[in-house]
Amino acid sequence: MAPRNEIVIQAGQKARHYWQDMFRYRELFVFLAWRDLLVRYKQTAIGVAWAVLRPVLAMIVFSLVFGKLAGLPSEGDAPYPVMVFAAMLPWQFFASGLSDASNSLTNNAPMVSKIWFPRMLLPASSILVDAADMILSLAVLALLMLIYGFAPTWRMLLLPILVLPAAVTTLGAGLLFCALNVTYRDFRYIVPFIIQLGMYISPVGFSSSVVPQTWRALYYLNPVAGVIDGFRWAILGTALPYTPGLIISAAVALVLLGVGLRIFRRMEATFADTI
Amino acid sequence: MTAILKTENLGKQYRIARHRSQSAHSYVALRDELTQMVRTGFGLWGKKQPKTEPFWALQNISLRIEPGQRVGIIGRNGAGKSTLLKLISRITAPTTGSIRLRGRVSSLLEVGTGFHPELTGRENIFLNGAVLGMSRAEIRYKFDEIVDFAEVETFLDTPVKRYSSGMRVRLAFAVAAHLEPEILVVDEVLAVGDLRFQKKCLGKMEQVGGEGRTVLIVSHNMGIIDRLCNRGIVLDKGEMALDASATDAVAAYHAMGGSCAGEILRLSDNPAHPVITGVRFMGEKQDSPVQCGSPMNVLLNYEVQSSQHLSAGLPHLQVSMSIKSASGELKTACCSMQQPHFGPAPAKGTLCCHVDKSPIMPGEYTVQINLNHNGQACSRLVNHPLHVHGGDYFGYGTEPVEHRDGIYMAHRWELYDSLTDKKRETKA
């Protein structure tokens, strides 16, 4: 029997064939996501409806507080609830993705400490599960647009591409926090706090056009702001409130992914020892 | 022949907390790091106090394993066996040296890791296969064989959380063994299954070895090592003590006095406290079995890990032992507390319990031994199996008829007549 390939593990050196290994385990990536999807709503009374209920309730509260009470403007002629829900798609994806990814290693601690497989698959696959939830929310959006009689434009077809920057942002932050979470469990408390604050800092409940002119460039350092603007542009068919913002956000997202990858790969070797 | 697995100067260092009482958490809190940073002025002044000290779990391991070898790795608890398996299966990275693997490694270090309790047996076979690196097509091809081997046909669509522990082991082993790895790594996991399945697994591992693939197995069961393996490696304190045939390795291990089938628990983190390192039950002589009615000797080896602060020895060492039936009922116990002190004990020594005439009825027992120092429990041996052979306890020339798990007592039956109140003389 001819050995297919030789694996060399040298102390103090990063594993060779890192990305090849990842590619070899691509089926596990899907399996892990499928596993999480299967068990996600087990033993819950209303099951998968939770995936829809949370963003819908948040949308209602935001529409009442920001749209009715605060009287903030919508974008173009889009009904306020539709505008909020268009932002809810990427926001929910980012929030659940970040929270699931940062807990993915510690939740699978027995597996990490007893079996070898490319560790990055755990945070990455947990984000894939949240993408599935986003597809469900998309159906709710369609229903909402039907109720309000709001017709979509051809730009809607670009949504799959716009998911990419959302995924980059989520993966970057997720890799960073899940690696840090292995050593410092403080991040179990920090991450929900970030998400809670981020929901108000990001233009989820309001349009980013209400941000004062002078603060715009700074505002888009939050990569989610750019992602949300992109989604609204595609779904509502309105003009972008601030075009350079997209570039700033995209650059920040890429830097975040770079930092996340770097930290993750540096800490990866000791995951099994410290988890 | 080219080696399928080659390690050179392999070593693994862990950092262990110096005083566990100070950092009771098993992980570092960010707060500790931050206060440390502030205290040392972010490294600008002041010296960082190391909170941990290095500990070599494994050192200088240079191995060459050829295809088709079945290697048994033996050693006491903490000798580095599991660390070696973890390094070979790539779970943790080595601190020194290198490993060369020519082929796929499938490892079974713990039962059912990679299983999800909520998923069914069928789903878990696919999931676990994928975790071990099998493709979906491969798993589908092997599926029936796996199910057949694990004997779980009727429970395929039951969530694994409802499986018995035996069923879980069977399924986990079946998946790992059918991966057709070039190197199969198995840690003490077969102890859970029943005897018949253990035999089946051993047969499978023999078959895997026969097909020119390599098996690495860690076990405390010397019988399994002796029967299954054709090479034995003895590890002692992280270093290789012997690399020989399995039979020689088992014999050497027994000679080290480390043969201990039970589990040794450390109850104290103080390195100056003694730890049980091995136990031996013997009859009158070194190689005679424990027999009812004959002398019995229990030899308990202990050791202090760090003897720096021990110039005066261990001032107050105490030991207690209890013998339980297979079902866990206490049968008898004894301890050293009532007798005079040993006096200062050495950092490494052997406690011996002499029983002039063993009263234990023939059968299977488990033994628990506690080692105390200054009234604090330091180390405990649990579930050490003891087999007692039958013997002539009462000196009648025949073995007693009573054969239940228990203890004989010296006694005499007499018969009295109720009318005369006279004792009837017994006839010889």
Side-chain angles (χ1 to χ4, degrees):
Chain A
M1 186 181 349
R4 267 159 293 189
N5 49 353
E6 193 181 35
I7 302 160
V8 183
I9 305 160
Q10 192 90 39
Q13 264 182 28
K14 286 219 177 103
R16 293 176 218 176
H17 316 299
Y18 189 81
W19 300 104
Q20 279 110 299
D21 275 340
M22 195 96 91
F23 182 72
R24 243 173 12 93
Y25 274 79
R26 64 195 178 280
E27 285 196 341
L28 179 61
F29 173 63
V30 181
F31 266 120
L32 286 172
W34 165 79
R35 173 197 75 172
D36 290 343
L37 205 61
L38 272 184
V39 298
R40 180 160 237 191
Y41 298 108
K42 279 236 166 128
Q43 290 202 2
T44 57
I46 60 169
V48 81
W50 279 114
V52 173
L53 204 60
R54 279 185 310 168
V56 167
L57 288 177
M59 179 268 290
I60 293 171
V61 171
F62 276 144
S63 301
L64 286 176
V65 174
F66 290 109
K68 287 267 183 283
L69 297 182
L72 291 178
S74 180
E75 268 179 37
D77 53 356
Y80 208 88
V82 176
M83 185 205 70
V84 171
F85 206 81
M88 214 40 113
L89 291 181
W91 174 256
Q92 201 67 38
F93 172 65
F94 171 77
S96 333
L98 180 59
S99 145
D100 290 346
S102 54
N103 288 322
S104 62
L105 285 174
T106 40
N107 283 349
N108 290 290
M111 232 166 103
V112 171
S113 57
K114 295 290 179 191
I115 309 175
W116 179 84
F117 56 92
R119 269 74 171 93
M120 209 179 280
L121 294 181
L122 277 174
S125 70
S126 62
I127 292 172
L128 194 65
V129 176
D130 294 302
D133 276 1
M134 182 156 62
I135 292 169
L136 269 180
S137 295
L138 206 60
V140 177
L141 177 76
L143 197 70
L144 205 62
M145 288 167 92
L146 205 69
I147 291 169
Y148 281 94
F150 190 80
T153 65
W154 59 268
R155 288 188 195 164
M156 196 87 165
L157 299 174
L158 292 175
L159 268 188
I161 299 166
L162 286 167
V163 171
L164 207 65
V168 167
T169 309
T170 314
L171 188 63
L175 286 176
L176 179 69
F177 288 133
C178 81
L180 289 170
N181 202 6
V182 170
T183 320
Y184 310 104
R185 299 290 154 98
D186 305 72
F187 284 90
R188 206 184 321 174
Y189 307 105
I190 295 174
V191 169
F193 187 63
I194 291 176
I195 293 170
Q196 203 182 0
L197 284 187
M199 189 149 176
Y200 295 99
I201 293 171
S202 309
V204 181
F206 49 87
S207 161
S208 50
S209 58
V210 303
V211 176
Q213 209 95 47
T214 39
W215 295 104
R216 270 189 170 165
L218 200 64
Y219 188 73
Y220 283 94
L221 284 179
N222 170 7
V224 184
V227 169
I228 289 176
D229 271 7
F231 265 69
R232 280 193 177 137
W233 170 83
I235 293 168
L236 307 177
T238 53
L240 280 171
Y242 183 62
T243 316
L246 282 195
I247 296 152
I248 298 172
S249 287
V252 171
L254 283 176
V255 169
L256 194 61
L257 182 64
V259 171
L261 276 172
R262 221 185 134 78
I263 300 272
F264 190 92
R265 286 205 58 183
R266 190 188 290 170
M267 300 184 77
E268 193 172 31
T270 56
F271 278 167
D273 303 330
T274 45
I275 203 159
Chain B
M1 211 189 287
T2 47
I4 188 146
L5 168 67
K6 209 168 131 192
T7 73
E8 259 164 50
N9 194 28
L10 195 64
K12 175 76 187 176
Q13 188 194 53
Y14 284 106
R15 304 202 71 87
I16 51 169
R18 218 168 26 182
H19 293 295
R20 277 279 281 281
S21 50
Q22 279 178 7
S23 55
H25 324 285
S26 54
Y27 52 86
V28 200
L30 190 59
R31 184 193 56 193
D32 298 342
E33 295 265 301
L34 289 177
T35 49
Q36 184 79 46
M37 274 163 79
V38 171
R39 202 178 295 147
T40 59
F42 296 91
L44 291 175
W45 70 84
K47 227 183 179 163
K48 195 175 172 183
Q49 290 237 321
K51 272 184 300 186
T52 56
E53 57 185 35
F55 163 74
W56 285 94
L58 210 61
Q59 232 174 338
N60 296 326
I61 304 292
S62 295
L63 273 177
R64 240 187 99 89
I65 293 172
E66 317 286 347
Q69 284 191 330
R70 296 188 298 272
V71 186
I73 298 165
I74 49 185
R76 299 171 191 164
N77 285 356
K81 306 180 297 289
S82 297
T83 307
L84 180 60
L85 293 194
K86 275 192 173 183
L87 287 173
I88 289 171
S89 43
R90 303 175 69 187
I91 292 163
T92 179
T95 315
T96 63
S98 65
I99 307 167
R100 273 167 188 277
L101 298 162
R102 294 172 70 88
R104 194 152 69 159
V105 181
S106 166
S107 60
L108 191 57
L109 300 194
E110 199 179 80
V111 172
T113 39
F115 278 168
H116 196 289
E118 296 282 353
L119 298 180
T120 66
R122 183 192 307 275
E123 290 162 342
N124 267 306
I125 290 176
F126 278 94
L127 178 67
N128 208 22
V131 170
L132 292 173
M134 265 198 264
S135 72
R136 202 158 42 165
E138 218 176 327
I139 304 166
R140 201 169 286 149
Y141 178 67
K142 291 269 175 191
F143 188 83
D144 289 337
E145 222 175 303
I146 292 171
V147 173
D148 202 40
F149 189 89
E151 300 165 29
V152 291
E153 297 91 325
T154 35
F155 303 98
L156 264 185
D157 295 306
T158 310
V160 161
K161 65 177 175 184
R162 312 227 185 279
Y163 277 33
S164 71
S165 55
M167 282 160 73
R168 236 174 277 187
V169 189
R170 296 209 298 263
L171 194 61
F173 182 84
V175 176
H178 285 86
L179 171 59
E180 300 205 337
E182 276 79 43
I183 304 165
L184 178 65
V185 174
V186 182
D187 199 350
E188 194 86 79
V189 288
L190 300 177
V192 194
D194 59 18
L195 220 61
R196 199 179 63 84
F197 188 73
Q198 270 189 28
K199 276 193 188 139
K200 201 167 160 185
C201 293
L202 290 177
K204 180 75 192 170
M205 283 195 273
E206 240 161 334
Q207 183 201 333
V208 166
E211 287 164 6
R213 282 177 270 144
T214 308
V215 181
L216 266 83
I217 179 168
V218 161
S219 182
H220 285 288
N221 188 331
M222 293 304 133
I224 287 184
I225 299 282
D226 202 10
R227 215 167 65 223
L228 174 75
C229 301
N230 48 24
R231 181 173 169 188
I233 288 169
V234 184
L235 291 180
D236 187 31
K237 289 186 196 129
E239 297 197 42
M240 196 140 73
L242 184 75
D243 182 359
S245 74
T247 316
D248 287 351
V250 169
Y253 181 58
H254 277 303
M256 276 162 66
S259 170
C260 181
E263 192 183 351
I264 295 170
L265 309 172
R266 279 196 76 163
L267 305 175
S268 151
D269 292 314
N270 189 336
H273 277 172
V275 177
I276 296 171
T277 52
V279 69
R280 275 186 85 176
F281 280 78
M282 59 178 84
E284 197 168 4
K285 283 185 231 115
Q286 183 122 24
D287 47 359
S288 53
V290 175
Q291 196 176 10
C292 174
S294 301
M296 175 174 84
N297 293 307
V298 185
L299 268 61
L300 182 79
N301 303 315
Y302 73 87
E303 205 177 312
V304 176
Q305 280 202 327
S306 135
S307 50
Q308 290 167 10
H309 323 286
L310 270 182
S311 48
L314 298 160
H316 207 121
L317 194 66
Q318 283 174 334
V319 60
S320 63
M321 172 170 75
S322 53
I323 297 175
K324 295 173 183 172
S325 70
S327 55
E329 291 162 76
L330 181 68
K331 290 304 170 189
T332 185
C334 62
C335 72
S336 69
M337 278 137 216
Q338 285 95 341
Q339 70 180 65
H341 288 171
F342 299 122
K348 185 176 178 178
T350 303
L351 286 156
C352 186
C353 180
H354 299 284
V355 181
D356 292 334
K357 188 177 167 191
S358 170
I360 308 166
M361 292 181 189
E364 304 297 332
Y365 299 85
T366 63
V367 181
Q368 176 173 326
I369 299 179
N370 285 320
L371 194 60
N372 290 18
H373 178 238
N374 282 339
Q376 196 196 334
C378 300
S379 183
R380 177 179 295 157
L381 166 79
V382 291
N383 285 329
H384 183 84
L386 171 65
H387 176 75
V388 179
H389 293 264
D392 180 14
Y393 177 77
F394 296 106
Y396 294 149
T398 53
E399 279 188 28
V401 276
E402 198 64 48
H403 252 218
R404 279 181 292 211
D405 294 350
I407 303 296
Y408 289 118
M409 54 191 172
H411 68 281
R412 191 172 73 244
W413 288 104
E414 291 176 340
L415 177 66
Y416 290 88
D417 190 319
S418 305
L419 291 174
T420 59
D421 221 16
K422 262 189 181 170
K423 192 171 100 177
R424 291 273 184 95
E425 291 305 319
T426 48
K427 282 173 189 160

